[in-house]
Amino acid sequence: MSTSAFVLPVSLALHLLTSASPAPQNTATAPSQDPAPKSAATASVKAAPPAVSKLSAAQQATAAKLVGPALAEGHAYARLAELTDGVGPRLSGSESAEAAVQWALRSFQADGVKAWKEPVKVPRWVRGEEHGEILSSERTRGLPLALLALGGSAPTPPEGITAEVVEVNSLEELAALGDKVKGRIVLFNHTMSEAADYGRFAGMRSRGPAAAAKQGAVAALVRSLATASLRTPHTGATRFDEGGPRLPAAAVSVEDALTLHRMLQGGTVKVRLVLGCSDLPEADSSNVVAEVRGREKPDEVVLLGAHLDSWDVGTGAHDDGAGVVMVMEAARLIAKLPQAPRRTVRVVLFMNEENGLRGGRAYAEAHAKELSKHVAAVEMDAGGGRPLGVSLHAGPGGEALMRPWLAPLEGLGAARFLVGHATGADLSPMEPAHVPFVGVRVDSSRYFDVHHSMADTLDKVDPQDLSRSTAAVTWMAYALAEAPGTLVRPTAPESDEPPPAKK
């Protein structure tokens, strides 16, 4: 694909590099910028002095060599087109997931960046046939349901399952019903309307079907976790206990969940559900690892991570193709510098983040002895929106260490520290090693419009937003690898809650 339509003029790129940063946004009016903040406060801008450039002339020149091309060349968007339109959806264990691994290796080779595969054993779940309908009754005509099976769902019998629907709005409400759900299809309804709601309701999808199965339900329907819908269902993973009961589970569109809710107010509603899911034997797959070796302290590693797999619907453009091309582009641009940074910059494209996290665990296990030398880790897995700022999970003094290095991000509107999560799902297995985490946060306010749906395609990614966030990631990777000092290691996990994984 030609990139000419997506390239920023050099004059605009230089203007962005040198212009002043926009004023920080008031997150009281824009609480959905963070994909899953714990509270309104976690998405706020920290009250800290603005970034003041204390970089040397040589460091500022390096910033121009990294940020300028990231903005002006359009390389990240062109590569995203290759991944999404060329390779397509990449559910772990599939042929297309293996094609993505080979694509990544070829791309790193073309960039002059050393890369290799590391083995990962992944689950192999296949979607198969899927359809459902609300059966006609004395009150209503029958209606088809727009649905997608949840990853990990059990199949129905070939003839399907027909049962009455019972609606719940929380796991607690389900538990309170006890045996009343036996023999029924449980509808998990909720009121997600903005990105900040995802963390509140994701448990109904990930844990709800298993809980319903233990109470004797025959199937589960979950309202899609979405901030916009044109009757588009959004899939995602659901988990069942090993050896525990499983049942067929599907996400229904927002509109269909609301239809079921209204119908249930008037009496009994029956649904017929047919899912042809299957679990195949685990497959051999790979993480793709690449690095630019440091010139002075090559054993100290700054890790940039994103996940190469996607769901089998859409083409995984925002989730997580955008993150993949950002970190790949960071390695490409840093490798082109006349002098490598002090420390090694390592890119890891994790496999199986969506339905198992096997890649993140495999990397942490394989590199356990060197995690003490991982001086920082960044995960990009919140879409291709514009950059907002930087968050840290480190010991004391982190902001003071990094503040001077934010100056080149002023023209991108990202030269500020944000309160909130800096970790990610694939980084979470590294938490016991107290690896410092750095978040290059992007605007995810519209991310859940298309997340895990057929609509997650290249056209939803804005090329200029992608280039700006690529520039921010590239510069922060270099800064962490080049700074004279390193972040103090945190003494505790980021929180007692699970990391704000999207899955």
Side-chain angles (χ1 to χ4, degrees):
M1 174 180 288
S2 170
T3 63
S4 59
F6 311 123
V7 177
L8 282 176
V10 173
S11 59
L12 177 56
L14 292 176
H15 173 73
L16 285 169
L17 180 59
T18 58
S19 61
S21 172
Q25 295 187 7
N26 182 347
T27 55
T29 60
S32 60
Q33 291 176 349
D34 189 49
K38 294 184 196 174
S39 65
T42 65
S44 63
V45 178
K46 285 195 174 183
V52 177
S53 179
K54 295 181 181 178
L55 302 180
S56 68
Q59 290 166 339
Q60 293 179 47
T62 299
K65 290 176 182 176
L66 295 175
V67 176
L71 294 173
E73 291 180 357
H75 199 268
Y77 194 85
R79 182 154 281 173
L80 183 58
E82 293 175 10
L83 178 60
T84 57
D85 293 345
V87 177
R90 309 169 295 281
L91 188 60
S92 62
S94 67
E95 291 182 4
S96 54
E98 178 57 28
V101 168
Q102 298 304 320
W103 167 85
L105 290 170
R106 290 194 304 271
S107 299
F108 280 123
Q109 182 179 21
D111 294 342
V113 178
K114 180 183 177 183
W116 62 93
K117 297 190 301 181
E118 295 186 353
V120 181
K121 202 82 169 177
V122 298
R124 181 77 170 100
W125 177 85
V126 178
R127 180 172 301 281
E129 176 188 13
E130 51 190 8
H131 58 87
E133 60 182 326
I134 302 172
L135 299 182
S136 60
S137 68
E138 294 179 355
R139 296 182 294 113
T140 62
R141 289 183 177 274
L143 295 170
L145 292 171
L147 57 80
L148 287 171
L150 296 179
S153 169
T156 65
E159 68 276 12
I161 287 174
T162 299
E164 293 182 9
V165 176
V166 59
E167 179 183 6
V168 299
N169 295 295
S170 67
L171 295 175
E172 292 75 16
E173 190 173 326
L174 172 70
L177 289 176
D179 291 340
K180 293 180 181 179
V181 304
K182 190 172 183 179
R184 296 189 177 187
I185 296 174
V186 177
L187 169 65
F188 291 91
N189 210 345
H190 56 81
T191 57
M192 180 176 179
S193 62
E194 60 184 18
D197 292 333
Y198 187 86
R200 296 171 54 200
F201 300 123
M204 280 196 276
R205 186 195 66 205
S206 62
R207 303 191 303 277
K214 291 176 181 177
Q215 291 178 223
V218 295
L221 299 174
V222 182
R223 172 172 163 168
S224 289
L225 293 159
T227 47
S229 181
L230 292 174
R231 207 154 177 262
T232 306
H234 296 234
T235 190
T238 193
R239 300 191 299 271
F240 296 98
D241 295 339
E242 187 173 353
R246 300 177 66 207
L247 49 62
V252 295
S253 70
V254 171
E255 293 87 345
D256 286 351
L258 293 172
T259 298
L260 286 165
H261 171 76
R262 291 192 300 269
M263 288 183 171
L264 286 165
Q265 306 312 300
T268 299
V269 176
K270 284 189 175 182
V271 160
R272 179 172 177 266
L273 181 65
V274 178
L275 299 180
C277 316
S278 59
D279 288 293
L280 302 180
E282 290 190 344
D284 293 321
S285 190
S286 309
N287 290 333
V288 178
V289 184
E291 67 180 27
V292 179
R293 191 167 175 81
R295 70 178 189 275
E296 290 182 6
K297 301 179 178 181
D299 59 329
E300 294 186 0
V301 174
V302 174
L303 186 147
L304 304 182
H307 67 86
L308 190 55
D309 63 306
S310 74
W311 280 106
D312 55 334
V313 295
T315 56
H318 275 295
D319 186 19
D320 185 28
V324 166
V325 299
M326 286 182 203
V327 298
M328 292 179 74
E329 185 70 348
R332 183 183 78 90
L333 292 170
I334 292 171
K336 290 175 66 176
L337 293 174
Q339 178 175 265
R342 282 188 172 91
R343 302 174 188 88
T344 293
V345 174
R346 179 178 295 171
V347 170
V348 183
L349 305 183
F350 296 99
M351 183 56 68
N352 185 233
E353 190 270 356
E354 293 291 5
N355 62 332
L357 210 65
R358 299 283 187 88
R361 296 190 181 107
Y363 180 86
E365 291 171 5
H367 296 267
K369 292 182 179 179
E370 60 175 317
L371 289 183
S372 63
K373 291 289 190 177
H374 281 46
V375 299
V378 180
E379 181 170 331
M380 299 307 298
D381 186 15
R386 63 185 175 86
L388 299 176
V390 176
S391 56
L392 300 177
H393 175 58
E399 291 185 13
L401 175 69
M402 297 309 302
R403 186 170 290 114
W405 296 87
L406 297 187
L409 304 186
E410 288 181 356
L412 304 174
R416 55 183 180 263
F417 291 107
L418 302 176
V419 177
H421 284 291
T423 187
D426 282 313
L427 298 187
S428 60
M430 303 180 203
E431 282 194 346
H434 304 288
V435 176
F437 296 147
V438 179
V440 179
R441 301 261 287 282
V442 303
D443 182 0
S444 299
S445 57
R446 305 318 315 166
Y447 176 71
F448 291 102
D449 291 1
V450 301
H451 172 258
H452 292 184
S453 79
M454 291 293 291
D456 188 7
T457 49
L458 180 67
D459 52 284
K460 308 306 188 305
V461 179
D462 181 271
Q464 293 191 7
D465 286 348
L466 181 68
S467 68
R468 290 180 174 98
S469 286
T470 300
V473 172
T474 302
W475 176 248
M476 286 308 300
Y478 179 84
L480 290 162
E482 179 64 18
T486 58
L487 296 169
V488 175
R489 303 180 83 81
T491 57
E494 194 168 56
S495 73
D496 294 330
E497 303 173 24
K502 310 177 290 66
K503 312 309 170 195

